[in-house]
Amino acid sequence: MAGLNKVVSSYEEALTGLSDHMTIMVGGFGLCGIPEGLINQMVKMGVKGLTAISNNAGVDDFGLGLLLKHRQISTMIASYVGENATFEQQMLSGELNVILTPQGTLAEKIRAGGAGIPAFFTATGYGTPVADGKETREIKGRHYVLEESLTADFALVRAWKADTMGNLVFRKTAANFNPMMATAGKITVVEAEFIVEPGELDPDHIHTPGIYVDRVIQGKFEKRIEQRTVKAAK
Amino acid sequence: MALSREQLAQRVAKELQDGYYVNLGIGIPTLVANYIPEGMEVMLQSENGLLGMGEFPTEETIDPDLINAGKQTVTAVKGASFFSSAESFAMIRGGHVDLTVLGAFEVDVNGSIASWMIPGKLIKGMGGAMDLVAGAENIIVTMMHADKYGNSKLLPVCELPLTGYGCIKRVVTDLAFIEIKDGAFHLLERAPGVSVEEIVSKTAGKLIVPDHVPEMVF
């Protein structure tokens, strides 16, 4: 690496420093927009006792589901875990500590974490189990819950295009949690479908400025579809 | 006759207005998209980061990077936009979505809703439902009036863990259209052929019944 060139040439290099008991953020919604190669590399490394922050937990044999299968995650912070049987079984047995978090609150916790905001008030979850043990406050006649922000040792992000300086562009609904997570990692690693030279991305169209990004790796993606739905051909 | 899922969606669709931005939950709410009146312009928001959701793709146009909140492959309409989850929930929490339609296990006379967890049985997570009910001013809940044993799901107080407290004002069930205000359910309409007596017998929470209860019109 030299100067602002953040491109690394191997998955080993991309995740150097990631070790047991760290907190990791992993982008994606369902299987859409997940950093597939970085997840596979964590499986290969065998890191254990991870706290994983991700909207979902993948499916049994793909995405974060692979880390669960190998019992590498001890705490999971997510909003929806419905499609993963391994997950449910580990949660019910108490093997896995799960902090279910409303999706919008999760997104905002990460956004706030990356933006240096330690906590915020939201009406989401007031009067529900999500508010248990949390400070609440009435502001202008409405009740709010104090939610603390989230950061991570490593944020693992998938982008469509990255330039070598780490400027990022996401594609369609594969953006989801990736832009916020890119801002909230002590080390942010981006797995990109395409890596281009600085200047090739229009500065007006960059979603995530390179200042947030530490490493960029050229990815290879299967892009598995969770719910393949099509209309009848005419 | 109790409403079919399609009829339920059809009745909800009558509440749409031209120019609305609408978030439709998974299940019956999704079907509402099939009954948007001809000539009406409505933008569908999908909380995973899409405003302007279109129909399902063909085998040729399917794109793994374009899904809805139910993780189904979809398309985007002309004028659509994509954005992050934080931006998506800024729209929702900030009250910018005109109408939210979602399902529920239970609602109660105070407008509380339970829809995400059955202790010991079902733990899937709340997804975006808690944000949606907290953020939207205009919410319609679609649900079955009673379970298969005839036990009411419209209760004095929700028994399951809540999704939101005191936030629901309108409910369309397979039997009735109900408004929630002043600590009671108010019967506005009944499904065609369904008697007021049946609705009364299947509503556990306090129910106000006016002298005349019209049948739903589709």
Side-chain angles (χ1 to χ4, degrees):
Chain A
M1 261 185 277
L4 293 171
N5 184 345
K6 295 168 184 177
V7 178
V8 297
S9 54
S10 69
Y11 282 108
E12 290 77 24
E13 203 182 333
L15 293 188
T16 297
L18 200 158
S19 57
D20 293 354
H21 309 295
M22 279 189 165
T23 297
I24 55 162
M25 287 179 180
V26 183
F29 182 93
L31 301 181
C32 181
I34 60 173
E36 297 175 16
L38 295 174
I39 293 170
N40 292 337
Q41 177 61 22
M42 284 191 288
V43 174
K44 204 169 147 192
M45 289 162 75
V47 278
K48 291 215 173 354
L50 298 172
T51 294
I53 302 167
S54 187
N55 189 56
N56 309 87
V59 293
D60 289 321
D61 62 341
F62 197 65
L64 281 188
L66 294 171
L67 290 182
L68 287 168
K69 195 164 90 180
H70 295 97
R71 295 184 155 66
Q72 293 174 265
I73 298 175
S74 58
T75 298
M76 181 85 213
I77 301 174
S79 87
Y80 189 82
V81 295
E83 278 88 18
N84 193 312
T86 314
F87 187 99
E88 198 159 5
Q89 173 235 317
Q90 288 184 19
M91 177 164 65
L92 291 171
S93 71
E95 199 175 337
L96 182 66
N97 176 32
V98 179
I99 304 171
L100 287 172
T101 305
Q103 197 176 135
T105 296
L106 181 62
E108 191 62 15
K109 277 170 171 268
I110 298 164
R111 196 201 65 80
I117 308 283
F120 56 92
F121 282 106
T122 177
T124 302
Y126 177 79
T128 78
V130 162
D132 287 352
K134 291 175 186 161
E135 186 182 334
T136 60
R137 190 180 297 185
E138 191 177 333
I139 303 171
K140 293 178 186 168
R142 210 172 164 203
H143 295 280
Y144 297 88
V145 184
L146 186 68
E147 293 282 2
E148 292 187 8
S149 64
L150 290 169
T151 55
D153 297 302
F154 273 77
L156 310 184
V157 166
R158 138 107 163 263
W160 180 41
K161 288 181 180 173
D163 69 18
T164 58
M165 297 175 121
N167 293 303
L168 308 180
V169 176
F170 303 96
R171 183 170 181 273
K172 300 188 178 180
T173 56
N176 56 65
F177 281 80
N178 285 300
M180 294 87 72
M181 288 183 175
T183 70
K186 280 182 203 140
I187 296 176
T188 291
V189 185
V190 174
E191 188 175 13
E193 289 180 56
F194 300 97
I195 298 178
V196 300
E197 289 304 313
E200 285 186 48
L201 301 175
D202 183 340
D204 269 334
H205 293 169
I206 286 168
H207 295 133
T208 294
I211 190 169
Y212 298 111
V213 173
D214 299 285
R215 302 172 192 167
V216 176
I217 182 158
Q218 172 68 55
K220 273 190 219 123
F221 300 96
E222 175 186 332
K223 291 199 182 182
R224 194 183 292 190
I225 294 173
E226 210 165 330
Q227 304 279 344
R228 190 180 189 87
T229 43
V230 293
K231 64 174 180 178
K234 280 177 187 158
Chain B
M1 274 284 285
L3 300 184
S4 67
R5 289 162 56 88
E6 284 72 22
Q7 286 174 311
L8 226 159
Q10 245 177 307
R11 178 61 193 85
V12 172
K14 290 200 65 175
E15 301 301 310
L16 297 171
Q17 289 181 27
D18 198 24
Y20 259 16
Y21 292 94
V22 180
N23 182 293
L24 301 176
I26 294 163
I28 292 171
T30 306
L31 301 175
V32 174
N34 299 333
Y35 300 103
I36 298 168
E38 196 75 26
M40 186 182 279
E41 230 179 351
V42 168
M43 274 286 216
L44 300 178
Q45 203 254 18
S46 190
E47 64 264 25
N48 56 314
L50 163 60
L51 188 62
M53 178 167 60
E55 58 190 354
F56 293 137
T58 62
E59 284 292 348
E60 290 70 42
T61 59
I62 203 163
D63 184 342
D65 288 344
L66 183 45
I67 64 169
N68 65 16
K71 290 153 191 127
Q72 298 170 308
T73 45
V74 292
T75 56
V77 299
K78 264 185 199 158
S81 52
F82 301 116
F83 35 83
S84 74
S85 303
E87 181 84 47
S88 181
F89 282 92
M91 292 174 195
I92 289 165
R93 213 187 298 101
H96 304 281
V97 175
D98 296 304
L99 175 66
T100 291
V101 185
L102 79 172
F105 300 144
E106 299 173 348
V107 293
D108 70 27
V109 295
N110 294 314
S112 292
I113 171 173
S115 68
W116 69 283
M117 185 190 182
I118 302 175
K121 272 192 189 163
L122 176 91
I123 314 167
K124 288 181 182 298
M126 66 291 285
M130 285 193 181
D131 308 278
L132 283 159
V133 297
E137 191 51 41
N138 192 7
I139 304 167
I140 298 177
V141 169
T142 61
M143 61 190 293
M144 293 299 123
H145 208 99
D147 68 16
K148 58 184 172 182
Y149 308 108
N151 298 313
S152 179
K153 297 180 171 196
L154 277 65
L155 304 173
V157 179
C158 285
E159 289 160 10
L160 295 170
L162 293 185
T163 306
Y165 176 83
C167 48
I168 306 301
K169 297 189 184 98
R170 292 192 290 170
V171 182
V172 182
T173 74
D174 54 333
L175 304 182
F177 191 159
I178 281 173
E179 188 183 6
I180 305 175
K181 63 176 180 189
D182 308 325
F185 297 118
H186 295 253
L187 183 54
L188 300 184
E189 296 175 11
R190 58 200 167 89
V194 170
S195 68
V196 169
E197 290 69 33
E198 182 181 354
I199 295 166
V200 169
S201 77
K202 289 183 175 168
T203 306
K206 184 179 174 186
L207 178 69
I208 310 286
V209 183
D211 292 338
H212 175 65
V213 183
E215 286 192 350
M216 289 179 192
V217 180
F218 300 98

